[in-house]
Every structure is written in C-alpha cells, then in structure tokens.
Amino acid sequence: MKASLAAELGEAARLVALVASGASLAEQLPRVDASSASRGALIDLTHGTLRRYGRVHTIVNALSSRGQPDETVAALLWCALYALESGRYGDHTVVDEAVKACGVLERWPAKSYVNALLRRFLRERAAIEEQLATQDEAKYQHPNWWIEVLRAAYPEAWPSILEAGNSHPPMGVRPNLRRISLADYQARLAQAGIAAHRYGRQALILERPLPVERLPGFAAGEISVQDAGAQRAAYCLDLAGGQRVLDACAAPGGKAAHILELADVELTALDHEAARAARIGPNLARLGLAASVRIGDATEPSAWWDGRSFERILADVPCTASGIARRRPDVKWLRRRSDLEEFARRQRAILAALWPMLAAGGKLLYATCSVFPQENETVVDAFVAATAHARRLPLADGEPAQWLPDAQHDGFFYALIQKQA
C-alpha cells in the first residue's frame, strides 16, 4: 500500500500541476495508464485536491518560508495535504510516502523540504486553521471572484452553493423506459444489494456511487448514468411523436438519448467537435436508439442544416460549468471572471443562429449547467426582449428555472421559449 501511495501521489501531482498551468483534468486523466484500483485512488487524489485547492494552496504558501517550490513539488504538497485531511491514511504514512514521491517525480533535492513542510503542518494545524478561517478563498475553497458573484446573486443561498461545490457529487441513473420501468429497475437494484431512492420524474439516486459495469443492465442498455438535474431537459421540451427535434450541443448524447426514450421523434444530434460527436452514436446504439448525428457549429447552420424547420430545439449551450464544479473541480481554478461575458457572447450567438430554424409555434429550451445569472436569466431576458415573436413559457415540470446544486442533483438552468405564429 505504501509503495502504491507514493506512486499515486506522484501521478496525481503531475496531473494537478498540469491543471495549475491551464490544462483540463478531463483531457489529461484518460491518458494515464493505470489499473482500475489505482485509477480510483488517482481520481480521488486529483479531484479531492482540486476541490480544496484554495485551502491547500494557501497552506503551502503560508508554510514555505524559503520561497515557493516549483510547480510539481507544490502540486505534490497540495495532494499530500488533501491525503492527510481525507482521513484515508495515517498522518506519518502520508508524510513518508510524499517524501518517496519526490523520487517518483525525480525531485530528490525536495525530499527534506516536503518532509519539513508536512510535519510543520501537523504540528501547527490548530494555528493554521485559525488563519485560514479569515481568508475566503481558503475557507470556501473557491476563487474570490466566484464567491463575490454568487454572494451578489444569491444573498441567502451562496454559502450552501459553495459547500455543494466542494462535496462529492451524487450518482443518478435513468432507466430506459423503452426497455424497463422505473419500479422494475429499482427492484433490480435492490436485488443486487444496491441502495437507491427515487427523485423527480425518472431519476434513481444511488446511496453510493459505483462503476457503471457493476450496474445491472447497463451493458444491455436498460439504464444511463445521468444527473437528476440534467434529466429535466427532455421533460421540459414538451415532446410529442413525429416532431423534428434538434439537440444543438449534443455530445456525448445523454439528453439526446432521453429525448428518444420519451418520444418517437426525428432527432438531429449536433456537436462541433468531431471527437465528441463520435461518442453519440455508440451511446445511442447501446440503448437501442438512433439519430442523425451531424458535426457542425450551431452558429454556422449553412454547413449542416437542410433548411427544414424544427418543432423543438434543445440549446444546451457552452457555459462555465459552475453548476457541476464538484464533478469538474478544475473549472473553479481554470475560469476567470472575464469568462462570464465570453460565454454569454457565445450563448447569445447560438440563440440568434438557432432561432430561424425553429418552426412557428415551436419551442426552444435554453439550458446550461451554470449557476451564474450572467449566463442564464440575463441572456434569456435580453433575447426575449429583443426578438420578435419570442415568448418565454413556464416549464412543464412546474419547477424554478434555476436548480442550485444540492445532495440530490447538480446546478442546472432551463428556460423554454416559444416562437409565436
């Protein structure tokens, strides 16, 4: 165990250092060659460290009396501090294995420094905690600008949003109603000893996350893994058989699959990245579904649109992903305040390009996995105010447009806009 922990700390430090320099963790993790057990530990170390980055970064800065270490050694210390605080390992085990990880990383001269800093943290933990309590970025483990935006938007709820962003995400599954009922699949889970409870229209929330291969019926296409908040999209589209439907930002295909499970529609699944679009077909095929998959930019319809109107459009637009930060903890530290306007500009462009494709009387569902109003209400309100024949409708599930992240689901925003005849 000790040897593997040193290797895991070393690999986690390499990945976290790349994220600190601007890389995406989601792009780097698939490149790591590791066993399933080691991958599980690696995911825990990287995600846990990045969720607590504001804290561990502040601790290392405060305790580095001889100047700041290089990026890789700093990342090793961040990961080791997370491991210490996770409770999964003994304190001295973590310190010893972090020192050994210096060799894994070929940072042999840093061994004494890593050893001294971690032991000092253990000796002075109480005093350090008092200092951290006075610094928002360390206390709430989110960038200061992120905290400020949420505090302004949600004067009462902002602490709980930040708390959720530091938590482990729930695992929701969606039975494929074309193959199995919700009640029958819940019974199958119970027979397999997997505890789950129903949430909303169709979601089952597992008591404990599991690898998908351990879920009964996954390979047979009986279920998909999808957050309960994401499952709102298909229900809010107000689907009916025979409609032409566009999923304008479809990869990897979760919402597209749900649309096809609920109604016999003619679906076009669009994504602008070929590698991501390539995942849509196999995901649908596993579920016994099919759609016309197109590669193209939603803002440049001349390259892929055949000129036939759609009765329904799902515009699941690119966003900061602030509502799913606990699933993608690197986004908290990769995003900048200026990204809010950049994403809003892209979102406005997508709405403007999709609107002419919507049939008279048709409905467009604007969706984000963001909790920032600048990407949500602000964009939708401006579009409706400036667009002839655009009318915002209540959502079919009767729920608020903005769901904030909690123990049951992530943070999603939905707005339904109709093109009046």
Side-chain angles (χ1 to χ4, degrees):
M1 184 197 73
K2 292 182 179 181
S4 67
L5 178 57
E8 288 156 0
L9 283 169
E11 192 61 58
R14 288 192 182 101
L15 290 170
V16 171
L18 287 171
V19 172
S21 66
S24 165
L25 181 60
E27 294 178 358
Q28 298 299 322
L29 266 174
R31 302 174 184 175
V32 177
D33 183 15
S35 67
S36 59
S38 295
R39 182 171 291 276
L42 188 60
I43 290 173
D44 174 64
L45 286 170
T46 54
H47 284 64
T49 298
L50 290 168
R51 287 191 188 105
R52 301 171 71 85
Y53 176 80
R55 174 184 175 85
V56 296
H57 182 266
T58 301
I59 292 172
V60 171
N61 283 350
L63 297 182
S64 295
S65 56
R66 298 185 304 175
Q68 299 303 307
D70 70 41
E71 290 181 355
T72 302
V73 174
L76 171 61
L77 287 166
W78 302 335
C79 294
L81 286 167
Y82 165 71
L84 283 170
E85 297 188 326
S86 72
R88 291 180 174 83
Y89 318 94
D91 289 350
H92 295 297
T93 296
V94 173
V95 174
D96 291 344
E97 296 305 298
V99 171
K100 292 178 183 177
C102 292
V104 174
L105 295 167
E106 300 183 350
R107 297 295 197 278
W108 297 280
K111 285 186 174 184
S112 60
Y113 168 73
V114 167
N115 180 68
L117 188 143
L118 293 177
R119 292 185 183 279
R120 183 182 172 191
F121 168 73
L122 292 172
R123 290 194 309 270
E124 302 176 13
R125 182 178 289 188
I128 291 169
E129 291 293 346
E130 290 183 8
Q131 296 176 12
L132 294 178
T134 67
Q135 302 178 49
D136 280 356
E137 193 164 286
K139 179 180 179 180
Y140 297 112
Q141 299 165 47
H142 285 71
N144 283 323
W145 71 265
W146 192 301
I147 298 169
E148 292 167 2
V149 172
L150 290 181
R151 186 185 282 127
Y154 307 100
E156 302 296 329
W158 67 269
S160 63
I161 300 172
L162 295 174
E163 183 179 358
N166 295 327
S167 67
H168 288 274
M171 184 173 183
V173 300
R174 185 194 76 236
N176 178 358
L177 298 181
R178 291 185 179 269
R179 294 191 170 178
I180 192 168
S181 71
L182 180 62
D184 286 347
Y185 190 73
Q186 190 168 13
R188 285 199 65 187
L189 289 177
Q191 291 169 2
I194 301 172
H197 64 272
R198 182 173 173 175
Y199 187 86
R201 294 282 293 274
Q202 197 180 338
L204 292 170
I205 311 299
L206 304 190
E207 186 175 296
R208 294 183 178 180
L210 295 172
V212 294
E213 58 268 18
R214 290 184 56 191
L215 293 173
F218 181 82
E222 292 183 348
I223 58 131
S224 294
V225 176
Q226 188 182 43
D227 184 78
Q231 292 184 33
R232 293 184 68 196
Y235 285 107
C236 288
L237 264 174
D238 188 22
L239 298 165
Q243 292 172 337
R244 295 195 74 241
V245 180
L246 171 66
D247 184 348
C249 306
K255 295 183 180 70
H258 197 191
I259 289 169
L260 291 166
E261 290 167 11
L262 294 181
D264 292 316
V265 300
E266 181 185 343
L267 179 68
T268 297
L270 176 75
D271 203 90
H272 75 287
E273 292 185 18
R276 284 172 52 81
R279 298 170 59 190
I280 299 173
N283 284 340
L284 295 181
R286 180 181 64 84
L287 299 162
L289 306 168
S292 173
V293 179
R294 306 298 301 273
I295 301 170
D297 191 323
T299 64
E300 298 177 0
S302 61
W304 56 268
W305 184 40
D306 63 7
R308 298 167 60 209
S309 297
F310 296 97
E311 283 81 31
R312 297 290 184 270
I313 295 178
L314 172 59
D316 189 5
V317 297
C319 68
T320 57
S322 55
I324 59 170
R326 58 188 172 187
R327 296 186 191 276
R328 297 177 54 191
D330 53 334
V331 302
K332 293 190 294 188
W333 311 105
L334 294 176
R335 301 292 187 230
R336 299 292 181 265
R337 187 191 289 265
S338 59
D339 291 337
L340 290 175
E341 178 51 35
E342 289 300 314
F343 275 110
R345 184 178 297 111
R346 175 71 173 166
Q347 291 152 3
R348 291 192 295 267
I350 290 174
L351 277 176
L354 293 178
W355 190 248
M357 304 180 211
L358 186 64
K363 298 174 183 178
L364 180 151
L365 184 69
Y366 177 89
T368 77
C369 54
S370 174
V371 293
F372 294 140
Q374 293 89 338
E375 302 180 272
N376 297 335
E377 293 289 355
T378 301
V379 171
V380 172
D381 287 349
F383 176 78
V384 172
T387 305
H389 308 296
R391 179 170 68 103
R392 187 168 174 180
L393 302 175
L395 294 171
D397 62 3
E399 293 284 329
Q402 180 73 70
W403 270 17
L404 300 176
D406 62 19
Q408 306 298 322
H409 56 75
D410 290 333
F412 284 86
F413 175 86
Y414 296 101
L416 188 64
I417 307 169
Q418 185 175 40
K419 179 183 282 189
Q420 296 176 298

